[in-house]
């Protein structure tokens, strides 16, 4: 009986001593409990924030008119497919890079006018028959970021980085008082897109903000998009 008790105590000590050395198997989002078709090796460094969806409120900052957005309906989203490079000697720091598709809407009472390939922002007049305009843009960019966070389950994280890519032609959707609508392409927009972004949060949710450093238009009013919102990491 005493021998059995001693063996049990020794086995318990060995088991719990080994558990302290186990690497956390935490994975955020919908893949929390999924390890794949094969058992996960303890020596494998875990990847985080690989598929991120950003839900954003969007605005355009104009040098001459300030904030252009006039409605909470200025919403959009980003879809990020990311790869992560982690370092064994510095598990609190990693590098993220990938591909982002962005869809952005800005509801405004201002109107974009094109004169001789120059984009001008006009104020709404009392004689105008339209109710508002929707400025819609899609872009495809390459994001890159430095990620800071606790290695054990990423209880908190700070991702700071930037992006560079291409913005498709801006569309201006004008809605009139009688219910009609028109769609106009703003061709002189500047295709190159680059800017900075930041995420701050914990586990699967973070606060997201981004600012585009490049000009929105080749010629005309100096305008820069800005975004605020929330990020969710599906896995």
């Amino acid at each position: 009986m005493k021998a059995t008790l001693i063996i049990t105590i020794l086995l318990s000590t060995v088991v719990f001593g080994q558990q302290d050395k186990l690497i956390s198997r935490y994975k955020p989002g919908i893949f929390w409990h999924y390890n794949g078709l094969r058992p996960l090796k303890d020596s494998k460094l875990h990847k985080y924030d690989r598929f991120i969806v950003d839900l954003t409120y969007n605005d355009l900052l104009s040098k001459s008119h300030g904030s252009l957005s006039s409605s909470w309906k200025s919403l959009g989203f980003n879809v990020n497919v990311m790869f992560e490079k982690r370092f064994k000697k510095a598990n609190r720091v990693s590098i993220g890079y990938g591909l982002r598709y962005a869809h952005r809407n800005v509801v405004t009472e201002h109107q974009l006018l094109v004169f001789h390939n120059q984009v001008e922002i006009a104020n709404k007049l009392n004689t105008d028959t339209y109710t508002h305009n929707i400025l819609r843009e899609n872009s495809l960019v390459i994001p890159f970021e430095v990620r800071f966070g606790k290695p054990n389950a990423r209880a908190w994280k700070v991702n700071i980085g930037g992006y560079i890519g291409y913005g498709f032609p801006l569309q201006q959707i004008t809605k009139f008082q009688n219910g009609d609508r028109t769609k106009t392409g703003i061709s002189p927009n500047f295709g190159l897109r680059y800017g900075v972004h930041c995420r701050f949060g914990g586990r699967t949710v973070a606060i997201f903000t981004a600012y585009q450093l490049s000009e929105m238009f080749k010629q005309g009013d100096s305008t820069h998009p800005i975004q605020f919102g929330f990020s969710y990491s599906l896995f």
Side-chain angles (χ1 to χ4, degrees), residues 171-189:
Q171 291 183 336
Q172 179 174 244
I173 302 172
T174 304
K175 294 190 176 182
F176 296 90
Q177 296 174 359
N178 61 2
D180 293 340
R181 55 170 15 183
T182 60
K183 183 183 293 185
T184 307
I186 308 298
S187 57
N189 75 310

